Amino acid sequence: LHVQVTGVTAQALLAEAEAIAEAFGKNTYIKIPVNREGIKAIKELKRNGFVITATAIYTREQAFLAGIADYAAVYYNRMQNLSIDSRQVTADIVSLYRMHGMETRVLAASFKNCGQVLEAVLAGAQSVTLPAAVLDSMVDNALIDKAVSDFKEDWTKINGEKRIDEVLTQY
C-alpha cells in the first residue's frame, strides 16, 4: 500500500507519515514528493525505518536525490506532456541507480495507454501503477478470450464438466 502525504513542510510531512503508519502499519509506503521539504522528510523517515516512495519525479536529478527511497515514482505521461523523453529519463534513472549501487526501484506512474507502460518497462522500470482502464486495455483481447475458450473446450472433451481440482483428487 502506497499512501500520499499532502503537507508542504518537512514537519507536516513527518506528522502525516506517522499518522499513516499508525493507521495502516509501518510497512505502508509513504509517498513523499521530491522537492526541498520532501527530501528532508525522506531522509528523516528512512532513518526511522519507514518505507518510502519518492514521488512526483520528472528529472534524473530528482531521482538521484531520492536514491535512498525504496521506490522512485517517475511520472511517465506527465513528462511526455511536457515534451520530455520519458523513456530516456526512465532508462537513465535505472542506470544511475545501478551505477551507484542504489537499491531504489523505479515505479513508473501516470499512464494514459498501454504503449506507455510497455515503453517504461522496456526502459527498465521494475514496477508500474496504472489506471484500471489501461490495465483493461492490456488484457482485454479477443485472441486471449479465444485461447481461454479453446482450453475449456479441450478440457471438457476429455473430462466433461469436472473441474481440474476434482480430477486431481482422484490421483
Side-chain angles (χ1 to χ4, degrees):
L1 178 62
H2 299 251
V3 179
Q4 180 74 48
V5 293
T6 59
V8 294
T9 66
Q11 294 77 20
L13 298 170
L14 293 169
E16 290 178 14
E18 291 284 350
I20 290 166
E22 181 69 29
F24 301 109
K26 196 103 180 213
N27 289 331
T28 304
Y29 289 84
I30 310 299
K31 291 176 60 180
I32 309 268
V34 183
N35 58 19
R36 188 176 301 274
E37 293 298 303
I39 293 166
K40 291 177 193 175
I42 289 169
K43 287 180 182 179
E44 181 65 26
L45 291 167
K46 286 305 292 177
R47 267 194 295 270
N48 293 322
F50 283 76
V51 287
I52 303 296
T53 299
T55 193
I57 294 177
Y58 293 82
T59 69
R60 298 159 186 88
E61 296 83 2
Q62 281 181 290
F64 180 73
L65 294 171
I68 63 170
D70 300 280
Y71 285 98
V74 297
Y75 281 8
Y76 207 86
N77 182 68
R78 293 181 190 188
M79 281 191 274
Q80 286 187 349
N81 289 342
L82 296 169
S83 296
I84 298 170
D85 185 346
S86 51
R87 182 176 183 165
Q88 187 61 56
V89 170
T90 301
D92 289 349
I93 291 169
V94 170
S95 177
L96 180 138
Y97 288 154
R98 286 185 185 142
M99 179 187 313
H100 293 286
M102 297 172 168
E103 294 181 16
T104 306
R105 294 164 296 211
V106 174
L107 170 67
S110 176
F111 294 108
K112 293 298 180 193
N113 60 64
C114 58
Q116 290 175 330
V117 177
L118 182 60
E119 287 177 5
V121 174
L122 288 171
Q126 293 96 342
S127 300
V128 297
T129 181
L130 43 95
V134 174
L135 175 64
D136 290 344
S137 71
M138 293 172 75
V139 297
D140 289 346
N141 182 309
L143 295 173
I144 298 169
D145 295 342
K146 173 74 170 117
V148 171
S149 176
D150 290 349
F151 297 153
K152 175 69 173 162
E153 185 179 317
D154 292 345
W155 175 265
T156 303
K157 284 178 187 173
I158 297 168
N159 299 290
E161 292 301 318
K162 292 181 183 174
R163 294 186 325 255
I164 194 166
D165 58 324
E166 295 170 328
V167 171
L168 292 175
T169 59
Q170 297 172 7
Y171 297 100

